[in-house]
Amino acid sequence: DEVKWTYEKSLRKAFALVKEKKEPNTVDNIVSGRCLQLLSENIKDNVRKRAFLEEAERFYKRALSLKPIPEDEGEILYYIFEICLVLKKFNEHIEYLEKSKNMGFVPAQRKLNKYSRGKDISIPEGVKPYRKFRYSIRKTAGEAALSGTVNVIDKQSKKILKTGERIIDNVLERIIK
């Protein structure tokens, strides 16, 4: 009997593996928080969803207390912002987004620029900006389609070039004979 892979099963498995550790480190706490945050997206029951998100927030805050590298700290603050937004903690959500931006996290800066109604909000001088989410495993449908299309075009173009080279080699071989 073959067990089907699902996104939810893999998130639950990752969470369970990290939970088994006796002394989870910063990354373990981030991964645990991220798993719970992503799992909450498919929960319809508001009470259960809130419980998942509050637990995710606790994991993120535990990770922050372990003094992560600046890139991780900016991303963690951004994820806490997302949780505050869903839980309607409007007093706190902008504060986390602001802190994330101050760490150099460009997605936080872009989000603040959306909220600022035309006022340009920039990353503080002397702070190295970074754009990549290190703990994000979800892609939008557009990103996934684009990535897949680029991959197909790349591989197909290589095949076409090799086939073209073989044809030219065969034609030249026949001409020479």
Side-chain angles (χ1 to χ4, degrees), residues 30 33-34 37-38 41 53 56-57 60-61 64 68 70-86 92-115 123 130-136 138 140:
I30 297 169
R34 197 71 184 119
Q37 185 180 5
L38 294 171
E41 292 176 355
L53 289 171
E57 186 177 8
Y60 289 142
K61 287 182 176 178
L64 287 173
E71 290 84 1
D72 284 356
E73 188 172 347
E75 189 169 349
I76 294 166
L77 292 164
Y78 187 86
Y79 291 142
I80 295 174
F81 151 76
E82 289 181 328
I83 289 171
C84 288
L85 201 57
V86 173
E92 301 172 41
H93 82 290
I94 292 294
E95 177 187 332
Y96 285 108
L97 195 58
E98 188 73 39
K99 287 178 182 177
S100 177
K101 184 254 318 171
N102 290 340
M103 296 300 300
F105 199 47
V106 174
Q109 176 207 7
R110 288 188 184 132
K111 190 75 75 172
L112 276 169
N113 278 328
K114 276 186 181 177
Y115 287 137
I123 289 175
Y130 61 100
R131 292 169 168 64
K132 294 262 186 222
F133 283 92
R134 292 179 48 173
Y135 299 95
S136 182
R138 64 178 168 192
T140 64

Side-chain angles (χ1 to χ4, degrees), residues 1-176:
D1 197 19
E2 194 175 310
V3 178
K4 272 190 153 182
W5 176 90
T6 65
Y7 181 66
E8 184 177 342
K9 280 182 187 175
S10 62
L11 287 171
R12 288 183 183 281
K13 181 70 174 172
F15 180 74
L17 287 171
V18 172
K19 201 170 181 179
E20 289 175 5
K21 289 189 167 187
K22 285 185 172 54
E23 290 186 42
N25 61 27
T26 304
V27 172
D28 297 331
N29 281 294
I30 297 169
V31 168
S32 294
R34 197 71 184 119
C35 287
L36 290 171
Q37 185 180 5
L38 294 171
L39 283 167
S40 77
E41 292 176 355
N42 295 320
I43 297 174
K44 304 289 182 231
D45 176 42
N46 286 336
V47 173
R48 228 173 123 227
K49 182 184 209 89
R50 176 175 277 283
F52 268 64
L53 289 171
E54 286 173 344
E55 187 65 19
E57 186 177 8
R58 278 192 284 280
F59 277 108
Y60 289 142
K61 287 182 176 178
R62 201 170 305 134
L64 287 173
S65 73
L66 295 172
K67 305 290 183 224
I69 62 172
E71 290 84 1
D72 284 356
E73 188 172 347
E75 189 169 349
I76 294 166
L77 292 164
Y78 187 86
Y79 291 142
I80 295 174
F81 151 76
E82 289 181 328
I83 289 171
C84 288
L85 201 57
V86 173
L87 296 179
K88 296 179 171 68
K89 295 181 179 180
F90 298 122
N91 297 343
E92 301 172 41
H93 82 290
I94 292 294
E95 177 187 332
Y96 285 108
L97 195 58
E98 188 73 39
K99 287 178 182 177
S100 177
K101 184 254 318 171
N102 290 340
M103 296 300 300
F105 199 47
V106 174
Q109 176 207 7
R110 288 188 184 132
K111 190 75 75 172
L112 276 169
N113 278 328
K114 276 186 181 177
Y115 287 137
S116 71
R117 299 182 183 168
K119 184 178 150 194
D120 186 37
I121 295 175
S122 56
I123 289 175
E125 202 172 303
V127 175
K128 183 180 177 209
Y130 61 100
R131 292 169 168 64
K132 294 262 186 222
F133 283 92
R134 292 179 48 173
Y135 299 95
S136 182
I137 57 173
R138 64 178 168 192
K139 283 186 176 181
T140 64
E143 287 173 331
L146 179 63
S147 172
T149 304
V150 167
N151 192 28
V152 167
I153 290 171
D154 181 50
K155 289 188 177 181
Q156 291 302 322
S157 64
K158 286 177 184 174
K159 284 181 184 177
I160 290 169
L161 283 172
K162 283 184 181 180
T163 304
E165 287 173 0
R166 275 190 254 137
I167 291 170
I168 291 171
D169 287 346
N170 286 337
V171 168
L172 288 174
E173 203 171 292
R174 287 184 185 162
I175 292 173
I176 293 173

